[in-house]
C-alpha cells in the first residue's frame, strides 16, 4: 500500500500550492495588463496658450489618469479662435486637420478617441469621444456632460487668469471618473468638501502657484499679441489699398450697402491704430514684460483690430473669387448651405416650412451642379433672399425666444464665421438662429448652457461644450 500510495502522497500539498499560485497570480496578471495599457497623448493645437512645460505636464500626467481601456488616444486642443458652438470647431478640426479623428463612416469621432478642448475666442470648453469611449465613460448619463465641463471651468475661473493646461487635464480626469455628475456636486456637496479640504491643507501653495502661473501666462499672451501686431500690421497695411479696391469692385447683388458699411468700419478702425502701432514698434524687440504690461490696453486694441482686418481680407478675397467664377469656392458655399438646410429640415416641426426648405434645397443642389452658370451670382442672391424669408418664419413660429440684436449679432465681414451672403437683407443661416435659440433656452433651463449638437447636419459624434 505504501508503494502504491507513494506517487500521490504529495498531491494534496501540490494542489494547495497551485491553488494559492493561481489566486495570487491572476490578480497580478490582470493588474499588469491594466497598467501596460498604451494610449497616445497628443497636443497638436496650442492656440497660442500652452507652453512647452504645459505640454510636458499633459504628456506626463495623462497616462496616470484612470481611464477606460477603450481609450487609446487622448487629444488636447486649444483654439485661439473658435465657433460659438465649440462642437463645430471640433468637427471642423477632425474633418480638415486630422481625419484620423473620424470614424470609418466619417460621421462620428474615431473609436478609442477622447478629445478635450478649450476655446479662447469666444470662451468655451468641450469634450468629445468615439462611440465606444462615450459608452465606457457613461457620457450620456444624466448630469455627466455638465459635470465634466464644470470640472474644466474651475481652473479657468479660479485665479482671474485661466489655467488652460489644468483645465484640459481636469476634463480628461473627469471623463474617466463616472461619479462626476452635475447633480452630485450640487446636492451632496462632494466637490465642495474636496475644495474645502484642499484649502485647509494646501491653500498657500495653491494660491502662490496660481498667481505665478497667472502672471507668466498673462505675460506670455501679451508678448504673443505684441509680436503678432508688429509682424502682421505692416503687411496688411501695405496691402490695404488693394484690399480696398477689391472690396469696392464687388458688384453682385450680395455686395449691398450693409457689407460696404462693415468694410468701411473695419478699415477706419484699422487706419486709426497706425499711431498706436508705430508707438508699439518703437519700443523695440527687446522690450521687457513690465513695459508690455504697462501698454496692455494698446496692445489688446491693436491685436483685435489687426485680427479683424485679416479676417476681412480673407472674406473679401473669398467673395471676389466667388463672383469671378471660382468653381471650388462656389460649390463649397452651396454645400454649406445644403447642410444648413438639411439641419433645418430635421429640426423644424412645421410641415409647410419643411416643404419650403426642401424646395430651397433643391434649388441649391441644382445651382451647385452648374457652378459656371452665367447668372450664378444672381441665382445665389435670389436663393439667399428666399431662404431669409423662410428662416424669419421659422424664427417667429418656433424660435420666438430670440431676436437679432446686440446679444445675438449676425456675423460681420470681419468675423471668421462670415460667408458671402451673410447679412444680405438681414440674412443669417439656420445654424445661427438655432444657436441663438439654444443659448436662450439653455440659459433658462441649465446654468451651464451645455450644447450637444452641431450647426449643420451630416455628423453625430458625441460631444458636449459650453461657456466658461
Amino acid at each position: 500500500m505504501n508503494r502504491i500510495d507513494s506517487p500521490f502522497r504529495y498531491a494534496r500539498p501540490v494542489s494547495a500550492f497551485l491553488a494559492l499560485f493561481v489566486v495570487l497570480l491572476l490578480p497580478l496578471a490582470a493588474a499588469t495588463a491594466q497598467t501596460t495599457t498604451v494610449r497616445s497623448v497628443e497636443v497638436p493645437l496650442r492656440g497660442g496658450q500652452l507652453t512647452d512645460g504645459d505640454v510636458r505636464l499633459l504628456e506626463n500626467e495623462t497616462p496616470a489618469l484612470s481611464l477606460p481601456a477603450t481609450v487609446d488616444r487622448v487629444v488636447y486642443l486649444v483654439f485661439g479662435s473658435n465657433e460659438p458652438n465649440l462642437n463645430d470647431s471640433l468637427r471642423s478640426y477632425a474633418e480638415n486637420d486630422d481625419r484620423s479623428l473620424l470614424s470609418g463612416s466619417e460621421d462620428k469621432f474615431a473609436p478609442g478617441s477622447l478629445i478635450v478642448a478649450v476655446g479662447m475666442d469666444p470662451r468655451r470648453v468641450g469634450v468629445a469621444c468615439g462611440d465606444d469611449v462615450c459608452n465606457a465613460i457613461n457620457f450620456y448619463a444624466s448630469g455627466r456632460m455638465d459635470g465634466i465641463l464644470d470640472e474644466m471651468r474651475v481652473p479657468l475661473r479660479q485665479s482671474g487668469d485661466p489655467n488652460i493646461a489644468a483645465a484640459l487635464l481636469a476634463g480628461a480626469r473627469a471623463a474617466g471618473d463616472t461619479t462626476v455628475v452635475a447633480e452630485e456636486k450640487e446636492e451632496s456637496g462632494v466637490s465642495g468638501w474636496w475644495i474645502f479640504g484642499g484649502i485647509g491643507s494646501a491653500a498657500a501653495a495653491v494660491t502662490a502657484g496660481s498667481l505665478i502661473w497667472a502672471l507668466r501666462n498673462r505675460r506670455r499672451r501679451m508678448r504673443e499679441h505684441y509680436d503678432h501686431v508688429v509682424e502682421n500690421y505692416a503687411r496688411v497695411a501695405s496691402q490695404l489699398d488693394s484690399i480696398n479696391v477689391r472690396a469696392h469692385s464687388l458688384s453682385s447683388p450680395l455686395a449691398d450697402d450693409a457689407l460696404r458699411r462693415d468694410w468701411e468700419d473695419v478699415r477706419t478702425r484699422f487706419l486709426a491704430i497706425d499711431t498706436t502701432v508705430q508707438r508699439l514698434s518703437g519700443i523695440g524687440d527687446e522690450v521687457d514684460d513690465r513695459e508690455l504690461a504697462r501698454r496692455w490696453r494698446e496692445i489688446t486694441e491693436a491685436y483685435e483690430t489687426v485680427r479683424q482686418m485679416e479676417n476681412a481680407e480673407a472674406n473679401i478675397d473669398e467673395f471676389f473669387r466667388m463672383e469671378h467664377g471660382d468653381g471650388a469656392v462656389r460649390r463649397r458655399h452651396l454645400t454649406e448651405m445644403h447642410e444648413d438646410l438639411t439641419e433645418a429640415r430635421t429640426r423644424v416641426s412645421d410641415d409647410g416650412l419643411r416643404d419650403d426648405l426642401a424646395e430651397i434645397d433643391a434649388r441649391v443642389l441644382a445651382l451647385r451642379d452648374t457652378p459656371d452658370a452665367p447668372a450664378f451670382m444672381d441665382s445665389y442672391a435670389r436663393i439667399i433672399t428666399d431662404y431669409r424669408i423662410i428662416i424669419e418664419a421659422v424664427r417667429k413660429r418656433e424660435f420666438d425666444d430670440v431676436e437679432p440684436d446686440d446679444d445675438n449679432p449676425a456675423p460681420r465681414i470681419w468675423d471668421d464665421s462670415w460667408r458671402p451672403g451673410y447679412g444680405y437683407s438681414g440674412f443669417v443661416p439656420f445654424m445661427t438662429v438655432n444657436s441663438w435659440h439654444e443659448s436662450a433656452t439653455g440659459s433658462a433651463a441649465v446654468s451651464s448652457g451645455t450644447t450637444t449638437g452641431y450647426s449643420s447636419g451630416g455628423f453625430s459624434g458625441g460631444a458636449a461644450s459650453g461657456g466658461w
Side-chain angles (χ1 to χ4, degrees):
M1 291 294 295
N2 290 340
R3 293 171 63 186
I4 296 176
D5 291 342
S6 62
F8 304 99
R9 63 178 178 175
Y10 297 111
R12 185 172 297 174
V14 169
S15 298
F17 175 77
L18 289 175
L20 179 62
F21 179 77
V22 169
V23 169
L24 294 175
L25 181 62
L26 286 180
L28 179 61
T32 301
Q34 186 175 10
T35 58
T36 56
T37 299
V38 178
R39 61 175 57 96
S40 65
V41 180
E42 304 166 33
V43 193
L45 196 64
R46 300 189 186 189
Q49 301 296 320
L50 299 179
T51 65
D52 291 342
D54 293 330
V55 173
R56 285 194 296 271
L57 173 70
L58 294 170
E59 291 174 341
N60 293 336
E61 295 295 327
T62 302
L65 298 180
S66 178
L67 295 171
T70 53
V71 179
D72 56 31
R73 183 182 186 189
V74 179
V75 180
Y76 295 111
L77 301 174
V78 180
F79 296 93
S81 178
N82 47 275
E83 297 293 334
N85 180 355
L86 187 62
N87 298 350
D88 293 337
S89 295
L90 294 175
R91 171 186 179 179
S92 176
Y93 180 83
E95 291 177 338
N96 299 304
D97 296 283
D98 187 354
R99 299 189 71 83
S100 69
L101 285 173
L102 297 174
S103 65
S105 58
E106 298 190 342
D107 61 348
K108 296 182 179 180
F109 292 109
S113 61
L114 174 64
I115 307 168
V116 186
V118 171
M120 300 304 299
D121 184 18
R123 293 186 168 193
R124 298 290 186 266
V125 288
V127 176
C129 41
D131 278 354
D132 56 341
V133 173
C134 286
N135 291 331
I137 66 175
N138 215 13
F139 192 57
Y140 301 106
S142 177
R144 275 291 281 149
M145 297 178 187
D146 289 339
I148 296 170
L149 299 184
D150 283 347
E151 292 296 309
M152 297 182 68
R153 292 182 177 107
V154 173
L156 293 172
R157 296 173 174 173
Q158 64 183 2
S159 65
D161 202 5
N163 190 329
I164 309 298
L168 293 169
L169 198 60
R173 181 183 293 109
D177 183 356
T178 56
T179 67
V180 175
V181 292
E183 289 80 5
E184 287 188 2
K185 290 193 291 182
E186 294 173 1
E187 296 172 9
S188 67
V190 172
S191 293
W193 283 113
W194 183 88
I195 292 173
F196 284 125
I199 292 174
S201 62
V206 171
T207 301
S210 297
L211 290 175
I212 292 172
W213 183 92
L215 181 60
R216 289 177 177 173
N217 186 62
R218 182 180 289 110
R219 288 173 175 172
R220 183 183 72 248
R221 187 165 66 247
M222 194 58 58
R223 183 166 294 279
E224 288 172 350
H225 289 182
Y226 170 78
D227 290 343
H228 186 92
V229 170
V230 172
E231 293 170 5
N232 292 277
Y233 175 82
R235 182 199 65 79
V236 178
S238 68
Q239 298 293 321
L240 188 59
D241 287 342
S242 62
I243 301 171
N244 188 49
V245 169
R246 179 163 290 192
H248 284 284
S249 71
L250 298 173
S251 58
S252 70
L254 299 178
D256 61 0
D257 290 341
L259 182 140
R260 298 189 190 283
R261 284 195 299 270
D262 281 353
W263 163 244
E264 290 302 325
D265 183 335
V266 68
R267 176 174 174 271
T268 299
R269 288 188 286 110
F270 182 79
L271 289 171
I273 65 169
D274 179 71
T275 302
T276 299
V277 173
Q278 297 304 324
R279 187 163 54 246
L280 292 175
S281 300
I283 62 180
D285 295 336
E286 302 301 324
V287 58
D288 59 26
D289 292 336
R290 182 174 298 179
E291 180 67 13
L292 291 181
R294 192 174 68 84
R295 297 173 179 266
W296 71 270
R297 290 185 185 276
E298 291 179 307
I299 294 172
T300 299
E301 178 190 9
Y303 173 76
E304 291 177 352
T305 304
V306 170
R307 286 290 303 273
Q308 288 183 355
M309 177 54 79
E310 289 174 319
N311 288 336
E313 178 186 14
N315 288 334
I316 289 170
D317 184 63
E318 185 85 347
F319 199 174
F320 183 88
R321 291 167 61 194
M322 188 177 190
E323 280 194 356
H324 287 75
D326 190 315
V329 171
R330 291 178 169 184
R331 283 190 294 268
R332 181 168 65 252
H333 289 298
L334 286 166
T335 297
E336 289 183 358
M337 188 177 294
H338 164 64
E339 292 176 348
D340 190 67
L341 283 155
T342 301
E343 183 70 11
R345 291 167 62 189
T346 63
R347 302 259 184 157
V348 170
S349 59
D350 185 281
D351 290 338
L353 289 175
R354 281 206 302 269
D355 291 341
D356 292 339
L357 291 166
E359 181 181 352
I360 295 291
D361 194 26
R363 291 165 59 187
V364 167
L365 294 176
L367 187 60
R368 189 177 66 175
D369 290 338
T370 57
D372 56 349
F376 177 91
M377 293 305 298
D378 290 334
S379 299
Y380 188 84
R382 285 193 295 271
I383 288 175
I384 290 285
T385 300
D386 294 342
Y387 192 16
R388 182 195 64 79
I389 295 172
I390 299 173
I391 289 294
E392 182 63 14
V394 170
R395 190 190 62 76
K396 289 181 177 179
R397 295 185 196 179
E398 305 199 7
F399 297 160
D400 59 356
D401 50 2
V402 296
E403 289 281 354
D405 54 26
D406 291 341
D407 293 328
N408 298 311
R412 312 288 286 273
I413 189 70
W414 57 75
D415 293 325
D416 58 7
S417 59
W418 184 89
R419 300 290 185 273
Y422 285 18
Y424 178 62
S425 297
F427 171 76
V428 291
F430 173 80
M431 64 181 182
T432 299
V433 176
N434 186 61
S435 176
W436 295 344
H437 170 66
E438 286 188 345
S439 296
T441 56
S443 61
V446 182
S447 60
S448 64
T450 299
T451 300
T452 59
Y454 300 86
S455 298
S456 59
F459 196 79
S460 58
S465 62
W468 56 271

